């Protein structure tokens, strides 16, 4: 059985040495904050996802990233200051890796530019679909 490689989602990861409650609250108004906590290292961590959910077309990183950037653009000065204090501001694009050969998921230059203009980085995470013995994960 062949398993197709698919785009999963884009997490927007934030890390700071100080709490960013206002930023977290404002992002949660237009996005989905999955996680916001102080970690064992004493730093504050958050994982945010887009609320984009167009059932008529496949999800794409481009739409998810731009939705979060739109939320960043309207932050209040307090939230923007907290955003700027984050030492990690990263769009982490995730894929469920199947058996597809040479899978391509394009992020247009305008989106890459928007990420850079927002002072953020891009990462990629690959999620295996198969166990180490080759059987599909459940």
């Amino acid at each position: 059985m062949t398993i197709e490689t698919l785009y999963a989602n884009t997490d927007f990861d934030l890390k700071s040495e100080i709490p960013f409650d206002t930023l977290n609250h404002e992002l949660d108004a237009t996005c989905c904050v999955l996680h916001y906590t102080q970690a064992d290292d004493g730093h504050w961590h958050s994982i945010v996802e887009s609320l984009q959910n167009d059932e008529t077309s496949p999800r794409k990183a481009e739409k998810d990233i731009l939705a979060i950037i739109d939320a960043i653009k309207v932050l209040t000065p307090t939230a923007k200051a907290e955003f700027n204090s984050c030492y990690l501001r990263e769009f982490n694009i995730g894929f469920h890796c199947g058996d597809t050969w040479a899978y391509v998921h394009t992020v247009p230059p305008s989106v890459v530019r928007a990420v850079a203009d927002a002072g953020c980085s891009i990462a990629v995470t690959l999620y295996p679909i198969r166990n180490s013995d080759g059987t599909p994960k459940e």
Side-chain angles (χ1 to χ4, degrees):
M1 171 176 76
T2 300
I3 299 174
E4 190 175 347
T5 298
L6 297 170
Y7 168 71
N9 68 326
T10 298
D11 290 337
F12 183 51
D13 298 325
L14 297 166
K15 291 184 182 180
S16 179
E17 294 179 354
I18 59 173
F20 48 94
D21 298 338
T22 302
L23 171 60
N24 180 65
H25 177 73
E26 289 185 22
L27 287 176
D28 200 33
T30 56
C31 300
C32 177
V33 175
L34 300 175
H35 177 79
Y36 174 63
T37 191
Q38 187 174 20
D40 292 341
D41 62 5
H43 296 190
W44 291 84
H45 299 230
S46 182
I47 300 171
V48 179
E49 285 186 358
S50 160
L51 288 176
Q52 299 297 308
N53 214 359
D54 181 4
E55 299 294 328
T56 62
S57 64
R59 288 189 71 169
K60 293 186 112 345
E62 170 184 359
K63 288 181 182 180
D64 289 334
I65 291 169
L66 290 177
I68 295 169
I69 287 178
D70 286 346
I72 293 168
K73 288 179 181 177
V74 296
L75 294 172
T76 63
T78 300
K80 186 64 173 172
E82 291 177 356
F83 176 82
N84 289 334
S85 74
C86 291
Y87 63 84
L88 179 73
R89 298 182 301 262
E90 184 169 83
F91 289 93
N92 190 328
I93 305 169
F95 298 93
H96 295 294
C97 294
D99 304 314
T100 308
W101 180 256
Y103 178 79
V104 174
H105 188 94
T106 303
V107 178
S110 60
V111 177
V112 174
R113 190 173 308 105
V115 169
D117 289 347
C120 301
S121 60
I122 296 174
V124 175
T125 298
L126 307 175
Y127 301 104
I129 295 287
R130 295 190 179 276
N131 295 309
S132 58
D133 65 0
T135 59
K137 289 191 178 219
E138 308 242 351

